[in-house]
Amino acid sequence: MENKTDINEKKNTNITADSSKENTVSQAAIRKGLTVAVTIFATILIVSIALIFVVSKKIDSMAGADAQIKLSAQGGFSCEYSEAQKLYPYGDGVIKVTSERIAYLTLSGSEVFSTTISYQNPQCVTYDKYVAVFDRDGYSFTVLNQDGVLFSKPMENPVKAVQMSDSGFIAVISGSSESYGEVALFDNEGNQLAVWTSYNSGFPVCCAFNSDSTLLAVSTINTSGAVIVPFVRVFSITKNDKGYDVVDNAVYTTDDNVIFASVCYVGKKLCCFTSNALYEVQNDNLSKMNYDFSAIGFVKNVGNNLFVTYSDGISQLNKLAIINSSDSIIYNSNIGSKIVCVAQNGGYYAISVDRRVFIFNTSGIITDDYSVDEDIIRMNFLSGNKLCVVSTGGVHTLN
């Protein structure tokens, strides 16, 4: 019996030890499980908070783009589409151009002044402080500013294009039955300074002044030979005691069979654009730059940075490239399918595309992004960097 008792006591002791060991293992497993669960929960919570923060920031950043602006609720005035086509933002208001009248209107639609004309095909060009209205293929042009009409000039040959400078100089490209064409230069008072007639260089296509109006570059195209030969002629404009001297400064060409459809100065650098490439004057030669532009649309100089819209081909999205003064591309991105118009001043660039208006600074940063409810016809920056748009429903401002 004693042995049996001893056996029973030992048996009970073993059972108690095993039970205690199982309880210890179970509690450790529970603690470990709880620790893992809490860790997983904390991780999920942190990730969720991070995702919520990122998504909220994304929503906030897109809010301006997604919010549609009702143009009729903005400052300005409403009018019919046929009237809106005659309006050009300028100064602190708009210029209204018809075949019979040129008028300057305030942003409320009140007329400030007007003048009578008789143009078959009136075209309007605004440039900083000045406006030129010319009769394309006609024989006259008119220059005005916010104070009134400065002068109106008749021309012997049909006017093809007009370009202005910061100083108010006006270059008028005309056709001619006795030559390829001519370029007449006027000062801001309407005095004719010079006339260059093209007998050998070809048809004048376009022209541009440098920033201080001391140089005038004229693009021409000669088609008389077996191949197309482009020329860019540069004229110096210097002031003297009696007025101005206008003389030949340089002539540039290239072996490429191209047409320089637009030219512009970026600082002292002369840039010439074809339909798909950029050339620059380097070491007294026209050199093609290594950029991939399949089809160039608009070219604007903003703060000595070139803003170039282009596409990679038919039915492809349009892109915007920004080239700085060192010839480096600092911005290059898709912007939309249909570009309507662009505008610029000294520090900002605006582009209307697919009922959206993007405003960039010179560094390529989008400062404003508007979605509008009407089709835009044209736009321009007014005083104080205010953007004025002419839409199918009237004239409105975007601040």
Side-chain angles (χ1 to χ4, degrees):
M1 292 296 291
E2 290 180 357
N3 292 335
K4 186 175 181 180
T5 303
D6 291 339
I7 292 173
N8 288 339
E9 287 177 351
K10 290 181 180 179
K11 186 175 181 180
N12 290 339
T13 303
N14 290 338
I15 291 173
T16 303
D18 291 342
S19 176
S20 175
K21 184 177 180 180
E22 288 177 0
N23 289 337
T24 302
V25 172
S26 177
Q27 290 174 3
I30 291 172
R31 285 196 298 269
K32 184 177 181 180
L34 287 174
T35 301
V36 172
V38 169
T39 302
I40 293 174
F41 176 77
T43 303
I44 294 174
L45 181 62
I46 293 171
V47 171
S48 299
I49 293 173
L51 287 174
I52 291 172
F53 178 78
V54 171
V55 171
S56 65
K57 287 295 182 182
K58 183 67 175 177
I59 292 173
D60 289 342
S61 67
M62 297 179 64
D66 291 341
Q68 188 179 73
I69 291 179
K70 189 175 182 180
L71 287 179
S72 59
Q74 305 303 304
F77 62 91
S78 299
C79 63
E80 297 294 329
Y81 173 63
S82 58
E83 288 295 304
Q85 289 179 302
K86 306 169 186 176
L87 302 175
Y88 300 80
Y90 161 74
D92 292 313
V94 290
I95 296 290
K96 182 177 181 179
V97 179
T98 69
S99 58
E100 295 85 21
R101 292 175 73 247
I102 304 171
Y104 180 45
L105 312 178
T106 66
L107 287 177
S108 61
S110 301
E111 184 175 300
V112 179
F113 65 83
S114 65
T115 186
T116 302
I117 59 173
S118 180
Y119 291 172
Q120 294 297 316
N121 187 15
Q123 306 292 315
C124 181
V125 179
T126 62
Y127 194 92
D128 195 24
K129 297 181 294 184
Y130 300 95
V131 175
V133 179
F134 65 96
D135 193 7
R136 178 172 290 171
D137 293 324
Y139 296 85
S140 181
F141 72 96
T142 300
V143 177
L144 57 149
N145 61 16
Q146 293 187 72
D147 297 323
V149 176
L150 299 178
F151 59 87
S152 184
K153 287 287 181 179
M155 298 294 293
E156 294 183 0
N157 295 306
V159 178
K160 301 297 182 180
V162 170
Q163 179 65 44
M164 290 180 289
S165 78
D166 290 336
S167 301
F169 287 173
I170 299 97
V172 181
I173 297 177
S174 301
S176 175
S177 59
E178 300 177 354
S179 66
Y180 286 112
E182 62 184 27
V183 180
L185 179 63
F186 298 84
D187 65 15
N188 55 15
E189 295 179 350
N191 301 309
Q192 183 171 293
L193 306 180
V195 177
W196 173 70
T197 303
S198 176
Y199 292 108
N200 301 311
S201 296
F203 299 98
V205 178
C206 61
C207 58
F209 292 91
N210 66 344
S211 59
D212 61 3
S213 304
T214 58
L215 295 173
L216 172 64
V218 180
S219 167
T220 66
I221 184 72
N222 193 323
T223 59
S224 60
V227 295
I228 292 175
V229 180
F231 290 98
V232 177
R233 302 186 68 98
V234 178
F235 300 91
S236 294
I237 306 169
T238 56
K239 188 172 178 58
N240 57 36
D241 294 337
K242 297 181 180 179
Y244 293 90
D245 288 325
V246 182
V247 297
D248 280 300
N249 179 281
V251 179
Y252 305 103
T253 188
T254 176
D255 293 333
D256 300 336
N257 299 326
V258 296
I259 299 175
F260 295 122
S262 65
V263 295
C264 69
Y265 278 94
V266 180
K268 296 181 179 180
K269 181 171 58 182
L270 178 58
C271 300
C272 306
F273 285 85
T274 69
S275 61
N276 59 5
L278 164 62
Y279 288 71
E280 292 183 1
V281 175
Q282 298 179 345
N283 300 320
D284 292 329
N285 291 304
L286 271 173
S287 302
K288 184 178 180 180
M289 306 304 291
N290 188 27
Y291 301 126
D292 186 17
F293 299 141
S294 297
I296 295 176
F298 298 94
V299 178
K300 293 292 183 181
N301 179 9
V302 186
N304 285 337
N305 283 350
L306 283 172
F307 284 63
V308 182
T309 61
Y310 71 99
S311 68
D312 292 329
I314 298 174
S315 300
Q316 298 296 312
L317 284 175
N318 286 286
K319 299 180 179 181
L320 174 65
I322 303 176
I323 307 171
N324 66 14
S325 57
S326 300
D327 296 326
S328 298
I329 294 181
I330 61 175
Y331 180 93
N332 193 9
S333 177
N334 293 329
I335 53 174
S337 59
K338 182 182 178 182
I339 298 176
V340 179
C341 58
V342 299
Q344 96 286 348
N345 60 11
Y348 293 96
Y349 173 90
I351 182 166
S352 170
V353 53
D354 300 335
R355 281 201 173 184
R356 293 276 289 278
V357 177
F358 300 96
I359 300 178
F360 294 80
N361 63 18
T362 56
S363 300
I365 298 173
I366 297 177
T367 61
D368 289 288
D369 177 2
Y370 303 99
S371 177
V372 297
D373 63 338
E374 297 176 9
D375 291 329
I376 291 176
I377 301 172
R378 62 181 63 94
M379 60 188 181
N380 197 8
F381 284 99
L382 304 184
S383 302
N385 293 329
K386 181 186 296 183
L387 183 65
C388 180
V389 300
V390 177
S391 70
T392 54
V395 177
H396 309 287
T397 56
L398 301 178
N399 294 318

